[in-house]
Amino acid sequence: MWKYLLFLPLLAFMVSCGDDDDAPVTPEPEAPTLSAALSATADLSTLNTVVGSIDGLVADLEGRGAITVFAPNNTAFTNLLAGRSLEELVTELGGEAELRRVLEYHVVGSTAFAADLTDGDVFTTLEGAQLTVNISGGTVTVSDVSDNTWTVQTADVEIANGVVHIINGVLLPDLATPQAPLLSTALDATAQLSLLDEAITAVDGLGAALDGFTEITVFAPDNNAFAAALMEFDVETLPELIAAIGGPANLDLLLKFHVLDQTFFVADLAEGDNVVETFSGQEITVNKTGTTVTVDDGNGEPKTVIDADIAVRNGVVHIIDEVLLPEFPAPTIVEALEGDSELSSLFAAVGLVDGLAATLLAADEITVFAPDNDAFDELRGDTELGDFVTELGGPAKLDEVLKYHVVGGTNLAASLENEDELITLNGGQVLTVEVTGEGVFLNDVSGNRFQVTQTDIAIQNGVVHKIEGVLLPELEYPSITDAIAATPDLATLGAAVNLFEGLDATLEGLGDVTIFAPTNAAFQQLLDEYGADGFDDLASKVGDIDDILTVLQYHVVTTREFSHDLTDGQEIPTLAGEMLTVGVSDAGVTLTDVDGITYNVTTADVRVDNGVVHIIDGVLFPIDRPTLVEAAESAELDLLLEAVGKVDGLGADLLGSAAITVFAPTDEAFIAALAAFDADDLDELIVNIGGEANLGTVLGFHVLEGVFYADDLADGETVVPTLAGQDVTITKSNGTVTISDGVNPPREVGPADVTIQNGVVHVIDGVLVPSLD
């Protein structure tokens, strides 16, 4: 709030004069950092410059937990310089390091506001020497080791991590006496402690905290000690070691396990064992026998002090030959998996099953047999983990597999005995223990046998053992028939399969199978296209019942093809002997049949016991239905084709129509029509009937919108519109179908029901003649 001191009188006036007790109160702003406070205070501009000239000093001071700064004002520095430049003063002091000592002599490693000060207070500064505070008649003064006394002129300038008091003089330590370095400086300057220095730096704020403690004793492992620790944890770098011990929090615990909150030079230690508490909260035993000092962390042999009594500003460092290991808090199962690079695949797999991590964390006691990455790699081969889960049958099946690796209770390796049967969390399925001279093995119900490679990794609610393979429980999948029956949208497909005795058994007997399963709506669309009431009716319109079987077989591939196995443009042979063409894009997977009609896979990768089912939105058709032109050519309706070709655009319109019924006159019928209009050929016919447009009307008079097979026609007379805009009368009697233009005798249909790609053709024995303009 120091920036706002000038506003206090005005604020007091406003408060005292206000009539409204409920007037809003402006919240007090956050205190500035030390650097911001120095920059914003004109009378501290010289101090700001001097502090800024010392590399890292501002960051060091702002990184400390709490400080009190006695800040010399500009006049104080002017008096000290006495006409000299700052560079000249630094030279006289003995260099930049001595200037840093002077500045650190103005800083105390705790927060003391004016109200906290009492007469005669003595403070140890960051420089290591002391300051004395005196209070007389409301005036606060500060004295240095040379009895120079300066007055606090502005008190209680609050900063983010403490307080600043502005004084009118520069305090000076005893510059003739060299001061011990800060711990951070000592570590940085000692080559054999570079790994310890790196480790401390890796813990945010720890270096500044250690420098700021009033008294410390540091048992400092040298580089050889850290190298041995890396080997012990089977890692090569400090980041790997951090992961191996459970993360940065445990590194902080480990490093503080080497620090005491008192200063013990060797001479200060009593003979024999000295049990002392470390900054980690755990105890170590320091033994002094003559001139030999050892440190015992309770893990193996005591560690030896190989270089003692290295003074630092706030204490002492003793170099030791091994790293002390505290008792680390056990991680959760999730933390254990996440922190172990050999179990990253297992960690990823657990994350794919919704709620599994929470289940494991909530269990009272568990034993986890954890497959390593090599185990997962061997099981899934080149398949990505997500695709492997798809092939397994989805997250629900992965959940079964993973829970098959978890046993209730804490089963340490020593407690496992040969032929033990362990009940897993996967529905009570069993793992069998095998103990031999080679080690401990697990046998699953699928006949796999894998060795335990690392034992007794503690977690908060149990223990983890690493194993060399993925254990597989009994995984049940539905048969193709059951999968279809269990899916309401595939009921029509189920009915179609049941038309053919033994077809279901044939499909289930295939070694590997992929079924492209049309929905109910897809089958209804096919029935509507043919105007069929059911499969029997459809069979008569596409050929016979065996053609329906061919249609079904066209949806069966005799290899197992999950969606991720399919590639764009791939051609797949089917059980019907015809090919399907696959399309793969960001939009999904499509299938194109021999007619060039494309349908979408709407639900992929439904696992069945001998393969996979993909649900599609259309019925694939293996029978290469002809176009109208191809059908006419096959029936030798040459004059009809020639006539259609005489009318510009008519052929394209007919081929492009969605659904049509064509009554197609034979060549004999056209010859009779030519004679009736006194024409020798079609060109002369066009002239005699009034032009090309009228020929188009004649031909359109033979075409109905929609698909009408002979069986679809009702008995008796039916009047229906044609593409020419005029009606024809269709009569059905005793199975015979005729069509009449109302003027000429009815024309008989025969043959009927020639299926084309977009409808049906009925051949007739005469040309229908509409009214012409």
Side-chain angles (χ1 to χ4, degrees):
M1 63 184 177
W2 66 277
K3 295 168 64 178
Y4 304 95
L5 294 177
L6 293 178
F7 298 112
L8 290 178
L10 177 60
L11 179 62
F13 174 78
M14 292 171 66
V15 172
S16 65
C17 295
D19 293 328
D20 187 357
D21 292 339
D22 295 327
V25 177
T26 302
E28 184 173 306
E30 293 185 2
T33 62
L34 174 61
S35 58
L38 296 182
S39 299
T41 307
D43 202 27
L44 298 179
S45 59
T46 305
L47 175 61
N48 188 39
T49 300
V50 174
V51 171
S53 69
I54 306 298
D55 187 41
L57 179 58
V58 172
D60 181 31
L61 296 178
E62 291 181 346
R64 293 177 178 276
I67 59 173
T68 298
V69 180
F70 294 98
N73 60 17
N74 291 349
T75 301
F77 274 101
T78 300
N79 293 336
L80 178 66
L81 291 171
R84 294 167 295 181
S85 67
L86 179 60
E87 290 76 12
E88 290 172 334
L89 176 62
V90 172
T91 300
E92 290 185 18
L93 290 175
E96 186 178 294
E98 294 303 300
L99 177 60
R100 183 179 182 120
R101 285 185 58 198
V102 170
L103 295 173
E104 289 179 343
Y105 187 51
H106 292 75
V107 184
V108 175
S110 59
T111 300
F113 286 89
D116 303 322
L117 300 174
T118 58
D119 187 44
D121 278 345
V122 176
F123 292 98
T124 300
T125 68
L126 297 188
E127 187 273 339
Q130 295 180 330
L131 296 174
T132 302
V133 173
N134 291 291
I135 303 175
S136 177
T139 299
V140 179
T141 59
V142 185
S143 300
D144 62 23
V145 293
S146 300
D147 291 329
N148 297 310
T149 300
W150 308 109
T151 301
V152 174
Q153 297 189 323
T154 301
D156 292 346
V157 179
E158 188 176 1
I159 58 175
N161 63 330
V163 65
V164 174
H165 305 296
I166 301 176
I167 60 176
N168 64 349
V170 178
L171 302 164
L172 295 173
D174 185 358
L175 298 175
T177 304
Q179 296 295 306
L182 293 168
L183 173 63
S184 58
T185 304
L187 294 179
D188 190 51
T190 307
Q192 72 184 113
L193 298 179
S194 62
L195 291 178
L196 174 61
D197 188 29
E198 182 182 350
I200 291 174
T201 303
V203 179
D204 189 36
L206 180 57
L210 295 177
D211 281 343
F213 288 139
T214 302
E215 287 190 84
I216 60 172
T217 297
V218 179
F219 294 100
D222 65 4
N223 289 352
N224 290 333
F226 267 98
L230 293 175
M231 292 181 62
E232 181 176 347
F233 282 92
D234 194 25
V235 295
E236 296 182 357
T237 65
L238 179 64
E240 291 175 339
L241 177 63
I242 295 172
I245 65 175
N250 280 352
L251 177 63
D252 182 58
L253 177 70
L254 180 146
L255 294 172
K256 288 178 178 176
F257 190 54
H258 292 76
V259 183
L260 313 179
D261 64 354
Q262 301 176 61
T263 300
F264 292 106
F265 287 86
V266 171
D268 301 325
L269 293 170
E271 284 286 322
D273 288 341
N274 299 270
V275 178
V276 289
E277 184 173 326
T278 68
F279 271 122
S280 71
Q282 299 182 36
E283 293 181 342
I284 58 174
T285 300
V286 182
N287 179 273
K288 178 181 175 182
T289 303
T291 59
T292 300
V293 177
T294 60
V295 186
D296 192 350
D297 59 5
N299 298 297
E301 295 297 320
K303 291 44 169 166
T304 302
V305 173
I306 56 178
D307 194 353
D309 293 346
I310 302 170
V312 292
R313 195 162 300 177
N314 58 342
V316 64
V317 173
H318 306 297
I319 299 177
I320 57 178
D321 63 352
E322 290 186 61
V323 175
L324 304 172
L325 294 176
E327 182 178 339
F328 294 115
T332 66
I333 177 59
V334 173
E335 291 168 342
L337 299 182
E338 184 177 18
D340 192 327
S341 60
E342 291 185 346
L343 300 178
S344 58
S345 293
L346 176 57
F347 177 69
V350 170
L352 293 176
V353 180
D354 188 37
L356 178 56
T359 298
L360 298 178
L361 290 170
D364 290 336
E365 284 190 82
I366 54 174
T367 299
V368 179
F369 296 100
D372 60 22
N373 293 346
D374 289 341
F376 272 97
D377 289 345
E378 183 174 349
L379 179 65
R380 61 187 175 87
D382 295 332
T383 307
E384 295 293 331
L385 180 60
D387 293 338
F388 169 72
V389 174
T390 297
E391 295 184 8
L392 197 62
K397 292 301 179 184
L398 178 62
D399 184 53
E400 292 183 39
V401 171
L402 296 177
K403 284 180 179 176
Y404 190 54
H405 293 75
V406 184
V407 174
T410 301
N411 297 275
L412 298 175
S415 69
L416 297 174
E417 296 184 0
N418 194 45
E419 297 185 0
D420 276 350
E421 291 190 345
L422 305 177
I423 308 301
T424 71
L425 297 192
N426 178 32
Q429 292 196 46
V430 173
L431 292 173
T432 304
V433 178
E434 181 180 345
V435 180
T436 72
E438 297 177 354
V440 177
F441 297 82
L442 291 173
N443 295 273
D444 65 22
V445 294
S446 299
N448 300 305
R449 176 179 182 265
F450 299 118
Q451 186 168 10
V452 175
T453 57
Q454 185 177 346
T455 61
D456 298 340
I457 303 169
I459 55 175
Q460 288 182 6
N461 60 337
V463 66
V464 174
H465 307 296
K466 291 183 185 179
I467 57 175
E468 64 179 358
V470 178
L471 303 162
L472 294 177
E474 291 180 353
L475 295 174
E476 296 183 357
Y477 301 99
S479 67
I480 295 172
T481 303
D482 289 342
I484 292 173
T487 308
D489 203 26
L490 300 180
T492 308
L493 174 61
V497 171
N498 289 336
L499 291 174
F500 302 97
E501 184 177 356
L503 179 58
D504 54 352
T506 297
L507 296 177
E508 291 170 9
L510 295 172
D512 283 307
V513 66
T514 300
I515 306 292
F516 295 103
T519 61
N520 297 340
F523 274 106
Q524 189 59 52
Q525 181 181 357
L526 179 67
L527 292 172
D528 291 344
E529 180 182 342
Y530 281 94
D533 294 331
F535 286 114
D536 289 338
D537 193 13
L538 178 65
S540 68
K541 291 176 179 178
V542 299
D544 55 34
I545 194 66
D546 287 339
D547 288 312
I548 302 299
L549 177 61
T550 301
V551 169
L552 295 177
Q553 290 173 333
Y554 192 48
H555 293 75
V556 181
V557 175
T558 56
T559 56
R560 188 176 304 192
E561 303 287 348
F562 289 91
S563 60
H564 57 262
D565 297 322
L566 300 172
T567 59
D568 191 45
Q570 178 182 1
E571 292 191 342
I572 305 177
T574 67
L575 197 60
E578 298 287 348
M579 304 296 285
L580 287 175
T581 302
V582 176
V584 178
S585 68
D586 292 340
V589 177
T590 61
L591 295 168
T592 302
D593 63 19
V594 295
D595 274 341
I597 301 175
T598 298
Y599 299 109
N600 301 299
V601 173
T602 58
T603 301
D605 302 320
V606 179
R607 178 70 191 268
V608 293
D609 56 3
N610 65 326
V612 63
V613 173
H614 306 292
I615 298 175
I616 59 176
D617 62 1
V619 179
L620 303 163
F621 211 79
I623 302 170
D624 191 3
R625 292 168 290 187
T627 65
L628 173 59
V629 172
E630 291 169 340
E633 289 175 343
S634 177
E636 297 181 350
L637 303 177
D638 299 331
L639 290 177
L640 172 62
L641 288 174
E642 184 180 351
V644 170
K646 296 290 185 180
V647 181
D648 188 38
L650 178 60
D653 289 343
L654 295 176
L655 289 173
S657 297
I660 58 175
T661 299
V662 179
F663 291 92
T666 63
D667 282 356
E668 291 78 6
F670 265 101
I671 292 171
L674 291 174
F677 283 94
D678 196 21
D680 293 330
D681 55 30
L682 288 175
D683 290 331
E684 192 171 351
L685 176 65
I686 293 171
V687 173
N688 292 347
I689 64 175
E692 178 185 317
N694 279 347
L695 178 60
T697 300
V698 170
L699 295 173
F701 195 51
H702 292 75
V703 182
L704 313 181
E705 287 187 353
V707 179
F708 300 98
Y709 286 87
D711 288 344
D712 300 326
L713 301 173
D715 286 340
E717 293 185 351
T718 304
V719 178
V720 292
T722 67
L723 292 187
Q726 300 179 42
D727 294 342
V728 293
T729 301
I730 300 175
T731 303
K732 183 177 180 182
S733 176
N734 297 321
T736 299
V737 177
T738 60
I739 184 168
S740 174
D741 57 20
V743 176
N744 298 296
R747 310 304 186 183
E748 186 171 342
V749 172
D753 298 339
V754 178
T755 300
I756 58 175
Q757 288 183 4
N758 60 337
V760 64
V761 174
H762 305 295
V763 178
I764 57 176
D765 61 0
V767 175
L768 304 171
V769 181
S771 297
L772 300 174
D773 295 336

